[in-house]
Amino acid sequence: EGETWELGHCKSCVCRQGKPWCPQKICPQSNMACQPNYKLEHKPGECCPSCVESDSVCTVFGDPHYRTFDGKFYSFQGSCKYQLAADCVGRTFSIRVTNDARGTKTSAWTKTVSIKVGTLKINLGQKMRIKVNGLKVFAPYRLEGKVTINKTEDSLRVETHIGMKILWDGSSFLEISVPAAYKNRLCGLCGNFNHLTKDDFTTRRGRLVMDAQKFGTSWRVGGKKACARSEEHLHKETQCQNQSYYKSRENIEKCGALQKPVFSPCHKKLSFMNYLQSCILDMCECPNEHCNCESFNAYAHECRRLGVPLSDWRRVTGCQSIWTQHKALSRNKLH
């Protein structure tokens, strides 16, 4: 009498008057809503799903446009080396990016990504080149207890033992994901991860500024040798204003695909306006005439992360040939 025992995670029994009584635990409705920055997750060993704090993501794409861990959108065309994100409290990791001007006067694109986690150093370059602790490696790659590097459909996926993940397409798209444990510990171009956008423009010296140029320049590292050109240059918006009416109209039309049906399944979950504005800005001084594809790619990646895959967008927008060519180059490099 009174003896208890477990039958799995969701059922426990008790002996009452010589008979077992085993009620099933009742979970809240599976469609329960979690507060912002939390998601419903079923943890191993637990009977019911619960709301847990989500990982936060920083995205870099195109002629660099940044979406910080806290969701602030801005553009910064510095063509030097910068601290993108780092644990400024525990010093567990740092990520630096080198931006390349690609021969332009006011533009820049992410060229290489340098990741440091403890004593581990990972370098990601153009065409999906990878170096780990100075040695060239190829995906899939695994260093037990430290890092795994795999290839997705269009990117390299780096997963570290501290929970930080990096997605790099070998050209200019970069996505960094950090677990909730890093909240209020980060600094760099990706912001401080405190769920507030208003203080993301905090410089290296702790000063809050309103100008993206001043903010971005404050996180420069590596000296002038790491720069593709002088930091004193025209703002990109000035370059756009100097374009002819017909050229500007053509750029807007090329970027307008973001409003079309191929992207519409995601419109309710993610506004396309920031990506549209970024796309138009990218086309102002585009060295290959396909810079609009970079904003499309960033929008599609974010949609996929929100649970809305957009499978046919490359073909519909004319970006498929560019992606196929890039994929072939990457495959040749790997083999």
Side-chain angles (χ1 to χ4, degrees), residues 119-130:
T119 58
L120 178 69
K121 293 180 180 178
I122 306 164
N123 290 89
L124 306 177
Q126 294 290 296
K127 300 175 184 177
M128 299 194 186
R129 296 185 181 98
I130 314 165

Side-chain angles (χ1 to χ4, degrees), residues 72 74-76 200-203 207-219 235 237:
K72 186 180 183 70
Y74 72 96
S75 300
F76 168 62
D200 270 354
F201 277 3
T202 300
T203 67
R207 183 174 162 231
L208 184 62
V209 295
M210 297 294 109
D211 181 57
Q213 190 72 21
K214 289 180 181 177
F215 166 68
T217 303
S218 79
W219 289 106
H235 280 282
E237 286 80 0

Side-chain angles (χ1 to χ4, degrees), residues 98-99 125 222 266 328:
T98 301
N99 293 349
C266 193

